[in-house]
Amino acid sequence: MADKSFLSWPFFEDKHRELSDNLESWCGKNLPVDHSNVDEACKKLVADLGEAGFLTYSAIDPDKPAPLDVRSLCLIRETLARHDGLADFAFAMQGLGTGAISFFGTPEQQEWLHKTRAGKALSAFALSEPKSGSDVANMDMTATLDGDHYVLNGEKTWISNGGIADLYCVFARTGEAPGAKGISAFVVPADLDGFSIKERLEVIAPHPLATLKFDNVRIPKSALIGKAGEGFKLSMSVLDVFRSTVGGAALGFARRALEETVKRVQDRSLFGAPLFDLQMVQGHVAEMALDVDAAALLVYRAAWTKDMGAARVTREAAMAKLYATDKAQEVIDKAVQLHGGDGVRKGSIVEGLYREIRALRIYEGASDVQKVVIARQTLSGG
Ligand code: COS
């Protein structure tokens, strides 16, 4: 059983402890799932998470709009990640893909949220391009106004849920100004003429991922999210919320690695005594436990700050993501080491965690980008 003592920290309320208990029991009955067909597995996970009510946390309720509870988002990602990385992925994309609609969408655009919150539609966030992953302001894809429509042309890549999503939140250059100030965001349903999946991408921890192609895709002006030219800021404020949740997922992977290690060092004997009797092993376990708690403090500090009404949590979210993902990588690496050959055996739990964690240090802003963000915020007193 994972350590749940953190739930008595002052960041949390009774509703979070209740959520944690309910989700833990759901995970015990439903996870892990079979990963042999990730498309089908993700569709089923979204349907099941929707039916169980957990996706209501991923987007606002259009009928009773209230801010997203970021502590719940982090807690859900942490718990799902501890049980099954694909379940965390499926949940996370329902939030990231609709974040712009939750925060800035019109009532008509927010109609989609009824479906995504019920697990009846899948969403995706289409920001990265072949030449601009970290350098968002340098994107090439265009959205050109033509009467009552925008016409989309270009490519997006590394798009999670690409190929299975029903709607994409797409960022494109509308040209009000060069760079960051000439980008806009759009709601794009997957069934439009001219939209296609150019390539499916295979990665070390498989999940639905693709390069998208837009060839004269016409969308009505009403698909514009927020104001024209404000897409860059909009994308950054969506990431400010969801980056903390990436930290939450990393925390879940790290906690699982620590749990597996605690079992291993007690069960396994070396030189006539349990592995844990070796002080060097105790040193590793101590560092792992310390990293897990420190990451949890940063993740839930960021989430709590946002939930308390802060307009921006750029610094807090960047610190949470950077620290939790980098440290989870170290924790999991130690777990692999302490499992010896079993740690690299295909199909073992720590082997899976070792593959799962790596992408979190890259997506939604690589660790290096988070350092740039933290340094700038520190200089500007943010
Ligand atoms: N919230 C609101 N506004 C923000 C913001 C935020 N978090 N971050 C920046 N802005 C605003 C800035 O204030 C600035 O506006 P003003 O000129 O009016 O002040 C504007 O946006 C441009 O900001 P900046 O000059 O910092 O942009 P840069 O091009 O230098 O980019 C980085 C900054 C590198 C930090 C940004 O591009 C980034 O986060 N990149 C990583 C993107 C990413 O996560 N990619 C993965 C895709 S999702 S899997």
Side-chain angles (χ1 to χ4, degrees), residues 295-339:
L297 282 163
L298 281 172
V299 166
Y300 290 110
R301 186 270 298 249
W304 174 85
T305 307
K306 184 69 188 165
D307 290 344
M308 292 304 110
R312 269 180 74 165
V313 284
T314 306
R315 183 175 65 103
E316 292 85 348
M319 285 183 174
K321 182 183 188 282
L322 173 67
Y323 192 86
T325 57
D326 279 4
K327 287 299 174 184
Q329 181 88 59
E330 289 177 25
V331 168
I332 293 167
D333 190 59
K334 287 190 176 93
V336 168
Q337 195 69 16
L338 291 171
H339 277 75

Side-chain angles (χ1 to χ4, degrees), residues 133-134 136 181 232-233 236 240 243 312 314 364-365 376:
S134 293
V136 175
K181 292 193 165 61
F232 180 92
K233 284 189 191 183
M236 291 298 132
D240 275 357
R243 279 176 180 161
R312 269 180 74 165
T314 306
E364 287 183 50
R376 287 182 185 181

Side-chain angles (χ1 to χ4, degrees), residues 66-310:
L68 291 185
D69 188 72
V70 188
R71 288 164 295 172
S72 296
L73 286 171
C74 292
L75 198 52
I76 293 173
R77 288 201 66 179
E78 173 183 341
T79 310
L80 292 174
R82 193 154 47 68
H83 287 270
D84 185 345
L86 205 58
D88 164 59
F89 167 83
F91 174 82
M93 291 320 302
Q94 291 301 95
L96 181 66
T98 57
I101 303 175
S102 275
F103 305 148
F104 306 100
T106 61
E108 184 197 346
Q109 292 166 351
Q110 289 184 345
E111 281 300 306
W112 273 105
L113 304 181
H114 290 296
K115 285 190 174 178
T116 61
R117 284 163 45 96
K120 295 186 188 310
L122 281 84
S123 69
F125 184 72
L127 184 65
S128 297
E129 295 187 5
K131 284 194 289 177
S132 64
S134 293
D135 188 4
V136 175
N138 192 33
M139 71 173 57
D140 282 333
M141 177 155 166
T142 54
T144 313
L145 203 50
D146 178 20
D148 285 345
H149 286 74
Y150 282 97
V151 183
L152 303 180
N153 278 295
E155 280 182 19
K156 293 284 168 186
T157 195
W158 303 116
I159 307 308
S160 289
N161 270 355
I164 62 166
D166 299 287
L167 80 146
Y168 292 83
C169 172
V170 178
F171 295 84
R173 182 162 296 292
T174 35
E176 292 72 16
K181 292 193 165 61
I183 292 169
S184 303
F186 301 92
V187 185
V188 181
D191 57 1
L192 296 182
D193 285 346
F195 171 75
S196 61
I197 302 302
K198 184 178 176 194
E199 185 189 8
R200 291 295 298 260
L201 305 166
E202 300 284 332
V203 285
I204 55 173
H207 64 269
L209 191 66
T211 300
L212 319 178
K213 190 164 169 41
F214 298 81
D215 185 8
N216 286 320
V217 176
R218 292 181 73 82
I219 45 168
K221 263 162 99 177
S222 59
L224 175 71
I225 309 174
K227 294 200 184 111
E230 295 198 350
F232 180 92
K233 284 189 191 183
L234 187 150
S235 72
M236 291 298 132
S237 47
V238 170
L239 288 170
D240 275 357
V241 170
F242 287 96
R243 279 176 180 161
S244 309
T245 78
V246 181
L251 185 56
F253 291 137
R255 273 198 211 282
R256 182 62 184 268
L258 178 57
E259 262 176 72
E260 296 301 318
T261 302
V262 166
K263 278 189 253 163
R264 168 83 180 185
V265 298
Q266 293 177 96
D267 293 349
R268 170 97 174 163
S269 286
L270 203 67
F271 307 119
L275 208 49
F276 187 70
D277 280 10
L278 298 171
Q279 282 198 348
M280 232 187 292
V281 171
Q282 292 173 21
H284 287 315
V285 171
E287 283 166 4
M288 292 164 82
L290 176 62
D291 288 345
V292 164
D293 271 10
L297 282 163
L298 281 172
V299 166
Y300 290 110
R301 186 270 298 249
W304 174 85
T305 307
K306 184 69 188 165
D307 290 344
M308 292 304 110

Side-chain angles (χ1 to χ4, degrees), residues 356-368:
E356 289 281 2
I357 189 58
R358 194 60 186 87
L360 277 65
R361 296 174 57 214
I362 298 171
Y363 73 61
E364 287 183 50
S367 294
D368 317 79

